[in-house]
Structure formats: structure tokens, C-alpha cells
Amino acid sequence: MPGETALVLAGAFSKGAFGAGALEVLAERGVPIRRIVATSAGALNAVVYAAGLRAGRAREAAADLAALWGKASWWSVFDPSLADVVRLRGLSNMDKLRRLLRRYTERWLPGEGRPIDLCLVLTATRGDPETKRRERATSFESVLTFDGSVFDDAGSRERLYRAALAAAAFPGLYAPVDVPDLGPCIDGGAVDNNPIGNALEANPAIDRVVLVTHNPKLFTPPPFQGLRFGEHVVEIAANERLYRDLREAAAVHTRLTELEALRRRGVLDDAQLKAVRRAVGLAEARFIEIVEVRPEEPLPGSAVTGFFSRRLRGRFVEEGRRAARRALAPRAPEEIAAGPEESITPGRRS
């Protein structure tokens, strides 16, 4: 895969193990990741993998992550907090998870200093202050951006860890994490579990996006009862936004293709094409390849049951590997040109 790639890592609690399996294959294939956008459990994977990329040791970092997801017990990431329970903030603080994240990140440092950007999506429970100031409106999505130098300083790394833990603070289980300038923050999956829209900002050199999500393209919902019904409602929200984002990307591709065809036929010259693209809101749009790493069928169990089952998490890791191998398999030119049906869809800069 030539050029530079933005990587999007979705969350979903224990199903972050799927992302770890996919990262192993991406690292083995040498996919040139320049930017990582992540939320929820994907944010935890992103920090460790970004450190490995920074150090030039991506394959080792990915293998470490996959092994960790397979062997870690619920007790290694769960730290009951009576104070948080009494205040109805959650069942656990994130102290153990913070130590685990720090240990698995800093084993790759110091590194070679390779360039990498990292974007973490959080849910700011009081609303994003920048949006309030700029637009006089409330949005709960906050995005914190770091460049590779964040790994070179202990204080900067601690700010990164705090942001990643906030992005992964599953509501009800973990207490919200206070982030400077944002206040209490929770799992970014609540606002956007597949944050494709942030993958292309501020880096026009990126010409493809690899999306890693545990959500299959097509699935049958579970029986509408109990916990499974509640989880299905969450999946509905995540899948619907993802579906709309990918459909919009395909629509942009179609409009760009049609305009280029008019230019080739002489209907529009270069100046007219530029004016038309500006008029229809496509002045900065460009062709972007989107590679979707997704399972063919829903993963077994649930995000919660996987939290207590090493067997399930091991299955999630293996499904991630399988999905990544399938998505990265060589394709014939006519398949790539066919677009979304083959899981490769051109998109646009957000």
C-alpha cells in the first residue's frame, strides 16, 4: 500500500481485542500508518501501537497487545472504588488500567522518533468548550490531538494516558476521568465509535483510511430482551453513523468522478471545474481509499461477557487477524474500481 495511511480504531469494551488482532496483521504487512484516530478501547490500543510505530517496533508492539488482550484478567483492569460507587459515578477507578497502559507503552521508549499523529475522541459530559465558544452550540464530542513528540517527555505522556483512559471510560463501570479544560469525560464511543471524519484533518498527504471495527456490514439482531437488547441499541447508534459516513464517502466519490468526466470531455475547463467544485462544497475533496477491516458475522458473546472470558477475547483477537488478512488481500484493478461493494470506498477530507 503506497502513500500514507490514517488508521481508525473503534472501541466497544472487550471487543477492542478485535482491533489488537487486526493491528498484528497491519504491522506484519508494513502498512505505513501516519495518523491514528481512536476511541473507547481503540484508544488504549492506539497509544501502545503509536509508541511502537514511533520506535520503529510496530510488529512487537502489536504482538504484545494481542497477547495482553488474550491473557489479562478482569481483575487486572478493574479497581473497585467505594467513593465512586457512593457518588454514583461508576464501580471502578482506572488506576490499574493506567499502570497497565503505562507499562505496555513505555517498554518501546525511547524510540527512533518516527512521525506519527494521534487523535483521541472523548465524550465531554459538560459539552465541548471549544464548540460552545466558536459556534454557540453544544456538542459533547471532543477530539484531542497529539504528535509523536508526546512520547518523548514523561509529563506529556501522562497527559496522553489521561486522555486515552477518558476515551475508554465505559459508563457505569468506570468513573468519568477529569481532563484539563474539558472536565469529566467518558467513553468516546458514546458520540462516535467509528470516528472516520477526523482521520484526514490537517494531513493532505494521507490518501487512504484503514477502518478497524468489530461491526459487520450486515447482521441479524439478537432477541429483543434483557442486556442483549440494551447492547443492540448501542450497536444501532454506532452502525447507523458508520453507515451514513461511508455512504456519504461513496456519494462524494461519485460526484468527483462525474465532474472529472466532464472535464475530460471538454464540457468544463480547469478553471470551470474548480469553480463548480467550490460551488458544490467539494473544493477540498479528493479521492481517498477506505479499507474496511470488519468481521463477516457478528462476534460471539458481547462486549461485557468478553470482559470476563479469556476464551472470548482470544476469539476476538483471531477474528481481527482474519478480517485484516481478508481486507488487505491483493485485489484486481476492476475490483478496486468497483468501490464500496468490495469494501474499498473513496472518501473525502472532513
Side-chain angles (χ1 to χ4, degrees):
M1 301 175 77
E4 292 189 337
T5 300
L7 172 64
V8 178
L9 295 176
F13 206 28
S14 68
K15 292 183 179 180
F18 176 89
L23 286 175
E24 273 199 296
V25 177
L26 293 177
E28 289 168 3
R29 303 291 176 87
V31 177
I33 305 299
R34 181 63 178 79
R35 183 180 182 89
I36 304 178
V37 181
T39 193
S40 192
L44 305 177
N45 287 337
V47 170
V48 176
Y49 192 61
L53 287 168
R54 176 80 170 167
R57 301 174 67 184
R59 294 184 66 168
E60 296 163 84
D64 244 16
L65 273 172
L68 175 62
W69 277 102
K71 70 183 181 182
S73 68
W74 66 273
W75 189 248
S76 63
V77 297
F78 187 71
D79 198 7
S81 169
L82 179 59
D84 287 316
V85 171
V86 170
R87 296 168 63 190
L88 302 180
R89 287 167 51 90
L91 300 178
S92 171
N93 61 44
M94 304 193 85
D95 291 348
K96 287 185 177 179
L97 193 53
R98 183 190 306 274
R99 290 193 291 271
L100 199 64
L101 180 61
R102 184 185 294 119
R103 183 166 73 251
Y104 273 80
T105 299
E106 298 188 0
R107 63 178 58 187
W108 312 115
L109 306 177
E112 298 178 1
R114 296 187 181 184
I116 184 67
D117 296 323
L118 187 57
C119 274
L120 303 180
V121 177
L122 300 76
T123 300
T125 60
R126 296 175 180 169
D128 179 64
E130 179 62 21
T131 303
K132 287 182 177 180
R133 183 193 63 78
R134 186 180 64 249
E135 302 179 24
R136 303 298 300 167
T138 299
S139 169
F140 296 97
E141 181 178 4
S142 288
V143 181
L144 299 183
T145 302
F146 306 86
D147 63 29
S149 65
V150 72
F151 293 106
D152 302 337
D153 172 74
S156 298
R157 290 196 299 271
E158 290 304 318
R159 290 192 291 274
L160 174 62
Y161 299 151
R162 178 176 290 273
L165 292 168
F170 193 82
L173 178 63
Y174 289 111
V177 176
D178 288 321
V179 176
D181 301 324
L182 295 181
C185 293
I186 60 172
D187 196 318
V191 289
D192 191 356
N193 198 50
N194 301 279
I196 295 175
N198 299 295
L200 303 172
E201 292 179 353
N203 196 334
I206 288 173
D207 55 15
R208 67 189 50 79
V209 173
V210 174
L211 167 69
V212 178
T213 177
H214 73 281
N215 299 119
K217 280 193 169 184
L218 186 67
F219 63 90
T220 301
F224 290 167
Q225 58 188 21
L227 180 61
R228 294 303 302 274
F229 176 67
E231 290 185 346
H232 183 57
V233 171
V234 173
E235 298 286 7
I236 287 173
N239 274 282
E240 188 62 22
R241 177 157 180 173
L242 176 58
Y243 166 75
R244 291 172 184 268
D245 285 345
L246 292 175
R247 185 176 63 177
E248 180 185 3
V252 169
H253 168 243
T254 298
R255 292 197 292 271
L256 289 175
T257 301
E258 291 171 347
L259 289 173
E260 285 296 327
L262 291 175
R263 184 186 63 79
R264 287 195 300 271
R265 294 202 305 267
V267 177
L268 298 174
D269 60 30
D270 289 346
Q272 290 169 329
L273 175 62
K274 185 176 181 179
V276 171
R277 286 183 56 159
R278 184 168 57 248
V280 297
L282 297 176
E284 297 185 46
R286 65 191 192 278
F287 291 99
I288 301 294
E289 179 186 3
I290 298 182
V291 179
E292 299 175 42
V293 179
R294 312 172 74 160
E296 293 183 317
E297 301 290 339
L299 297 180
S302 71
V304 175
T305 56
F307 185 64
F308 299 99
S309 170
R310 291 184 182 181
R311 181 187 62 81
L312 268 181
R313 293 195 307 276
R315 176 77 178 275
F316 297 162
V317 170
E318 183 52 42
E319 290 294 335
R321 295 183 185 119
R322 185 176 295 114
R325 293 186 189 110
R326 185 169 56 248
L328 298 176
R331 299 175 185 275
E334 59 272 18
E335 290 182 308
I336 296 175
E341 290 76 15
E342 273 66 45
S343 298
I344 299 180
T345 310
R348 71 172 180 180
R349 182 179 180 181
S350 59

